[in-house]
Amino acid sequence: MTGNVMDLLLDVPDLSLVFAATLGVVLVCKLIHSSLQYTRWREDYDLLPGSRDTHWFWGHMHLYPGPNEKGLAFQRLRTQQYPLFHRIWISFFRCVLICHHPKSVKFILKSSEPKSTEVGTSYVLGKSWLGDGLLLANGKRWARNRRLLTPAFHFDILQPYMTVYNEISDVLQLKVEDCCKKGQSFELFNYIGMASLDNILRCAFSYKSDCQVLGDSHPYVKAVNKLSDLWVARSLNIFHFSDFVYFLSGNGRQFKRYSDYVHSVAEEIIKKRQQTLEIEGLPTQTNGRKSRYLDFLDILLTAKDENNIGMTPLEIRNEVDTFLFEGHDTTTSAMCWTLYSLAQHPEWQQKIQAEVDSVLEGRDSDNIEWGDLGKLEKLTLCIKEGLRLHSPVSFIQRTTTQPFEVEGYRIPVGTSLAIQIYNLHHNPDVWDEPMEFRPERFLPENTAGRDFYAFVPFSAGPRNCIGQHFAMNEQKVTLARLLRRFTFELDPDHAVSKKIGIVMRSENGIKVFAKPRNL
């Protein structure tokens, strides 16, 4: 009996050989399937508008001049050549549809299509920094967290922030005044950036820092700027798409080091607030006044869904990281570029100054109040035109989960879509003289009939920016207070050129002179 069993076992092939053969068959089948799918995709994508000048390995990547003024000129040229959209190949394996017309942008933003998660897409490359916060999250997680956080941006929450905006503007004005006295120019991204960081820390997190004193030496700002540059550099290097490869590289190690630092800042803010909530609870009425205002972090830490479940510690940190970054870097870019344009157009500075003077007439202080925001009409026109002309957030990414048709073109399932906001805002089929600063574009009589999706600085549809009213209010107060006290001129000895990043920045900053007004 024993011998018969041994004979049977000896007749069975080596199991490792069976496993290897099976694995080989599976891999071959997958390869064949991928090849057939790639061939079908290639056939579909070749029917779409786009340059035929492709490299067998790089695709269209070798044609892009870089994230600079030449790159922006390249984008404007492609927009002129292909007004609706065009396809580009990222190496040989991924096609991306670049959309820059209301007709192509609309069908994406009106839908709930998810953020892109394919290998090498910009959103994926930023995950280790921002995690699954509202900027990058998808599906049920995004919908739940968006629902939980929406109350944090109700006007009842935003209104008390006006006091903070004005207090921070007081410090900013003193710094600008000091430069006036010395006859020195100063760099806008430094001064405005610190004020904006101070605003988000104090408004959203009730966290006081000395960032306006430290200026551009503040380690958090340095870390965010470096992370943004590394993120963009990685998106242009196909060999760094893999996390395994990237985090072995020098850039990858830097990215991790800076990510760890910004995470530690977020965790410190969260820990301090948790301790405050344990001792004091949420803000309550005391003698008719709240002990402090309810802020974003209070809501973040105490929000519960329909199942009475709050956010996990990681979800909380992801949202804090996201709002620290988005809440200061994007508004910094918007205000700096708007002031840059106003320094080039003194006639609009004068119009805004006259408007602010009229709003504040008869008051003892220059503070902008909640009821003043709607009266700053000319300033609002200039902010909107600054957002169009300079596009602080230059792109949005999505992936199709169903087939679409745009102007007779069929868009396959699984297509990577990049809404190039900068291209859209400079599309000559949509905007007259798109490179010119013309705030009157946004007068009611000039916006009548314009497609709603022609101007989307805060995105649009179900995934629009949750903090857009916060950002607009901060810009109005900061810029109104500055223009009330000073007139700005560009430093003629300093050249300004754009640098494309996660937000639009300048290669070497923007230097201006400020002259005090005689009030």
Side-chain angles (χ1 to χ4, degrees):
M1 182 67 180
T2 303
N4 291 337
V5 171
M6 291 300 297
D7 290 341
L8 289 171
L9 289 173
L10 289 172
D11 288 337
V12 177
D14 190 312
L15 292 179
S16 61
L17 293 176
V18 173
F19 175 78
T22 304
L23 180 61
V25 170
V26 170
L27 290 175
V28 168
C29 289
K30 282 187 172 292
L31 183 61
I32 293 172
H33 177 267
S34 297
S35 297
L36 292 173
Q37 185 182 53
Y38 175 80
T39 301
R40 288 195 298 270
W41 279 0
R42 189 95 201 189
E43 290 172 354
D44 287 339
Y45 291 136
D46 280 346
L47 297 175
L48 303 178
S51 169
R52 306 293 168 182
D53 184 13
T54 58
H55 185 272
W56 71 269
F57 182 78
W58 298 113
H60 291 102
M61 293 179 71
H62 68 297
L63 300 176
Y64 187 61
N68 47 37
E69 290 282 5
K70 289 183 179 179
L72 291 173
F74 177 84
Q75 291 177 206
R76 294 194 300 271
L77 177 61
R78 283 290 189 263
T79 303
Q80 198 170 5
Q81 292 172 326
Y82 308 104
L84 190 64
F85 61 80
H86 71 284
R87 50 144 183 81
I88 63 170
W89 283 93
I90 305 298
S91 188
F92 59 87
F93 59 84
R94 184 161 65 85
C95 187
V96 178
L97 211 60
I98 307 294
C99 302
H100 39 233
H101 192 284
K103 291 179 181 177
S104 57
V105 165
K106 184 184 307 183
F107 89 94
I108 305 166
L109 294 183
K110 288 176 72 173
S111 71
S112 296
E113 295 297 77
K115 295 289 181 79
S116 297
T117 58
E118 290 85 357
V119 171
T121 55
S122 288
Y123 288 142
V124 170
L125 303 182
K127 281 273 187 179
S128 60
W129 171 16
L130 300 177
D132 284 314
L134 284 184
L135 177 65
L136 305 184
N138 279 317
K140 292 182 179 179
R141 174 179 296 184
W142 170 83
R144 170 182 177 266
N145 290 1
R146 172 83 182 211
R147 189 168 61 252
L148 290 176
L149 294 178
T150 295
F153 296 92
H154 189 274
F155 75 90
D156 286 337
I157 303 293
L158 298 179
Q159 193 166 350
Y161 296 164
M162 296 295 290
T163 301
V164 180
Y165 298 151
N166 280 292
E167 289 176 356
I168 289 170
S169 292
D170 289 339
V171 178
L172 176 59
Q173 286 186 354
L174 289 174
K175 293 174 66 176
V176 174
E177 188 174 22
D178 185 55
C179 291
C180 284
K181 291 176 180 177
K182 295 176 180 177
Q184 297 176 343
S185 65
F186 63 94
E187 203 284 300
L188 282 179
F189 275 92
N190 178 1
Y191 279 47
I192 300 292
M194 293 309 99
S196 186
L197 178 60
D198 212 359
N199 269 318
I200 193 67
L201 286 171
R202 289 188 57 186
C203 291
F205 305 107
S206 301
Y207 186 91
K208 291 188 177 182
S209 75
D210 56 358
C211 60
Q212 287 211 75
V213 177
L214 287 173
D216 62 359
S217 63
H218 193 285
Y220 181 83
V221 175
K222 281 189 170 182
V224 168
N225 291 343
K226 192 63 178 176
L227 283 167
S228 298
D229 290 343
L230 289 168
W231 189 344
V232 172
R234 186 183 179 189
S235 71
L236 297 175
N237 186 343
I238 185 175
F239 299 109
H240 281 172
F241 286 1
S242 162
D243 281 349
F244 177 76
V245 174
Y246 182 64
F247 288 110
L248 289 175
S249 71
N251 279 4
R253 291 194 296 272
Q254 281 192 65
F255 195 91
K256 185 178 187 308
R257 184 167 67 252
Y258 288 118
S259 294
D260 289 344
Y261 170 72
V262 298
H263 291 162
S264 71
V265 172
E267 287 164 357
E268 180 189 0
I269 292 171
I270 294 165
K271 181 180 178 181
K272 286 187 175 181
R273 178 55 54 81
Q274 287 172 329
Q275 291 170 347
T276 299
L277 289 174
E278 288 173 6
I279 297 170
E280 301 176 4
L282 288 172
T284 55
Q285 295 289 130
T286 304
N287 297 324
R289 299 181 64 185
K290 286 187 176 181
S291 56
R292 62 179 176 84
Y293 55 77
L294 188 73
D295 64 17
F296 167 77
L297 189 53
D298 288 322
I299 293 172
L300 184 62
L301 290 169
T302 60
K304 307 285 185 184
D305 62 19
E306 61 276 10
N307 298 314
N308 200 37
I309 298 173
M311 293 187 181
T312 67
L314 180 57
E315 286 179 319
I316 292 169
R317 193 193 74 186
N318 288 340
E319 299 300 352
V320 170
D321 280 328
T322 296
F323 278 89
L324 272 175
F325 162 61
E326 286 204 300
H328 99 273
D329 220 25
T330 53
T331 51
T332 295
S333 176
M335 287 190 281
C336 289
W337 288 114
T338 296
L339 272 177
Y340 169 75
S341 291
L342 289 172
Q344 294 176 309
H345 296 83
E347 72 280 9
W348 275 101
Q349 279 198 73
Q350 293 167 11
K351 290 178 184 180
I352 294 170
Q353 288 166 339
E355 179 178 70
V356 177
D357 292 346
S358 175
V359 168
L360 297 177
E361 187 176 6
R363 295 192 193 168
D364 294 332
S365 80
D366 289 346
N367 284 358
I368 302 295
E369 300 172 357
W370 181 260
D372 299 331
L373 296 175
K375 301 174 186 177
L376 299 171
E377 296 175 354
K378 292 182 175 62
L379 175 57
T380 302
L381 294 178
C382 289
I383 291 173
K384 287 184 176 180
E385 178 66 345
L387 290 169
R388 182 202 68 81
L389 183 59
H390 303 291
S391 304
V393 178
S394 60
F395 72 94
I396 301 168
Q397 290 186 318
R398 297 285 190 273
T399 299
T400 59
T401 58
Q402 55 185 319
F404 284 94
E405 190 170 298
V406 180
E407 297 292 293
Y409 292 104
R410 180 182 173 276
I411 313 301
V413 174
T415 299
S416 295
L417 306 167
I419 299 172
Q420 287 285 3
I421 296 177
Y422 178 88
N423 297 11
L424 171 67
H425 289 173
H426 293 77
N427 192 328
D429 268 25
V430 181
W431 303 92
D432 293 329
E433 298 182 306
M435 294 299 291
E436 297 299 317
F437 181 75
R438 289 172 42 192
E440 63 271 17
R441 299 176 198 273
F442 292 95
L443 287 167
E445 60 268 29
N446 294 332
T447 57
R450 181 183 297 155
D451 195 305
F452 175 79
Y453 290 89
F455 177 64
V456 291
F458 298 103
S459 187
R463 295 204 65 152
N464 67 346
C465 175
I466 194 173
Q468 60 184 288
H469 295 300
F470 175 93
M472 285 298 291
N473 294 348
E474 179 189 345
Q475 290 184 67
K476 289 180 184 180
V477 173
T478 305
L479 295 177
R481 292 290 307 277
L482 285 173
L483 290 165
R484 166 72 166 171
R485 292 280 305 280
F486 308 101
T487 296
F488 295 92
E489 298 176 359
L490 293 177
D491 184 336
D493 296 325
H494 182 79
V496 176
S497 60
K498 285 188 170 71
K499 178 172 72 172
I500 307 171
I502 306 308
V503 299
M504 191 72 74
R505 297 184 66 85
S506 174
E507 288 279 0
N508 299 303
I510 301 172
K511 287 190 176 182
V512 297
F513 286 99
K515 296 183 178 180
R517 294 182 65 211
N518 295 318
L519 298 173

